[in-house]
Amino acid sequence: MKYSGWPEPGELVVGEIDEIADFGVFVDLDQYEDKRGLCHISEVASGWIKNVRDHVREGQTVVAKVLEVDQSSNQIDLSIKDVNEHQRKETIQDWKNERKADNWMLIALGEDVDDDRYTSVANALLREYDSLYDAFEASAIRGLEALEDADLDDDAAESIVDAARENVSVPYVDVTGYVDLESAAADGVDDVKAALEAAEGNGEIPDGVELDVGYVGSPEYRIKVRAPDYKTAEDELEAAAERAREAIESAGGVGSFHRERREDDE
């Protein structure tokens, strides 16, 4: 997807060097439709430059900072030297992500989707998310719930979720906590087992969340949660521990939750 407007001064853009002259290089801006910028030789690299070709080559993908935009003369002035390595890597990664998202859009809507349909769906997603990539990532994690507020018809929403779940590698976070479960009853082993089953959620764990309960050393049990983000992971960890505590206490036992292993169990 290419933007039809103009970049803003100060914006970092990705482009391909398509012509090198003695006075500078011309850069075809990848993210903007029919837009080309000029990076003067003094903005290619720091210090004195004898030959601009010692620093860049035709066909090279670069990240540049927009210095000035003159729409009346169709001119965009760029600087390559003003982009530090961190900015370059981050911008390139965002650019790569958007190229992926563009491909996912074609998977969802079909290779032969017309421009109006593509633009309509893309704009609906961009009104809710900072980028198409973010929209697909959220859809992979949360399904149709992620698109509830987007102005999309059912077919588009379902197709986006299907494409997201087939193609997006969802990032996960892992958190761990511990519960102590004790019961002095004659059938205390069964009470602890029931409490552990309660911690596991009885099959009612939300989509996108993995929860595992394991034995550490009596009376301590480990709860591991993998989820798309820390808030969800922490909430599910605390909920699992609370289910276990309530179950053991309802059977007359004692339960407690702690984040680190007991020192005397190490």
Side-chain angles (χ1 to χ4, degrees):
M1 179 182 181
K2 294 196 175 191
Y3 301 111
S4 58
W6 293 78
E8 296 288 335
E11 183 178 341
L12 298 181
V13 293
V14 178
E16 180 180 309
I17 295 175
D18 63 356
E19 184 182 347
I20 297 177
D22 292 339
F23 56 84
V25 299
F26 291 93
V27 181
D28 181 26
L29 303 188
D30 182 82
Q31 299 140 300
Y32 288 88
E33 191 173 21
D34 300 324
K35 296 297 185 294
R36 192 177 189 230
L38 170 64
C39 181
H40 189 267
I41 189 172
S42 63
E43 295 294 337
V44 171
S46 299
W48 182 71
I49 298 177
K50 180 179 180 181
N51 186 342
V52 69
R53 292 181 182 273
D54 292 337
H55 300 273
V56 293
R57 67 182 185 279
E58 291 176 346
Q60 180 181 350
T61 297
V62 296
V63 177
K65 181 179 180 180
V66 178
L67 300 178
E68 292 185 24
V69 175
D70 187 342
Q71 297 185 28
S72 63
S73 60
N74 201 35
Q75 183 170 327
I76 302 171
D77 293 331
L78 305 172
S79 173
I80 295 174
K81 74 174 185 180
D82 282 355
V83 180
N84 63 41
E85 185 62 14
H86 173 74
Q87 291 172 320
R88 190 191 70 80
K89 288 183 177 179
E90 189 174 70
T91 303
I92 286 291
Q93 186 59 57
D94 289 343
W95 171 69
K96 288 180 178 179
N97 287 346
E98 285 310 290
R99 287 167 67 92
K100 289 181 183 178
D102 188 46
N103 288 330
W104 297 336
M105 285 283 286
L106 296 179
I107 292 172
L109 302 178
E111 293 283 348
D112 57 350
V113 62
D114 62 65
D115 291 345
D116 289 342
R117 172 68 168 165
Y118 184 106
T119 301
S120 174
V121 172
N123 286 339
L125 295 174
L126 291 172
R127 281 192 287 270
E128 300 299 325
Y129 293 94
D130 291 337
S131 68
L132 293 180
Y133 186 88
D134 289 344
F136 273 89
E137 188 173 76
S139 298
I141 295 169
R142 295 164 48 215
L144 289 173
E145 179 188 347
L147 303 177
E148 284 180 347
D149 295 330
D151 185 18
L152 296 171
D153 58 72
D154 292 343
D155 286 345
E158 290 171 4
S159 296
I160 288 169
V161 171
D162 288 344
R165 288 188 161 167
E166 284 290 327
N167 295 280
V168 180
S169 298
V170 179
Y172 283 97
V173 296
D174 296 298
V175 296
T176 301
Y178 301 85
V179 286
D180 291 348
L181 303 173
E182 299 179 86
S183 174
D187 55 354
V189 172
D190 291 334
D191 293 340
V192 170
K193 183 178 179 181
L196 294 175
E197 290 175 350
E200 291 174 341
N202 299 313
E204 298 182 2
I205 302 301
D207 289 342
V209 174
E210 298 176 18
L211 190 151
D212 178 71
V213 180
Y215 178 74
V216 176
S218 184
E220 191 175 33
Y221 300 84
R222 179 189 293 111
I223 302 175
K224 290 184 177 180
V225 177
R226 169 169 285 188
D229 57 80
Y230 278 106
K231 183 179 186 307
T232 300
E234 293 287 349
D235 288 347
E236 292 300 323
L237 174 62
E238 292 177 7
E242 183 62 15
R243 289 193 298 268
R245 187 190 65 78
E246 289 179 351
I248 197 70
E249 290 183 357
S250 68
V254 177
S256 63
F257 171 61
H258 50 98
R259 291 306 304 265
E260 305 295 333
R261 284 200 63 186
R262 302 299 189 192
E263 290 185 8
D264 56 4
D265 287 329
E266 295 293 346

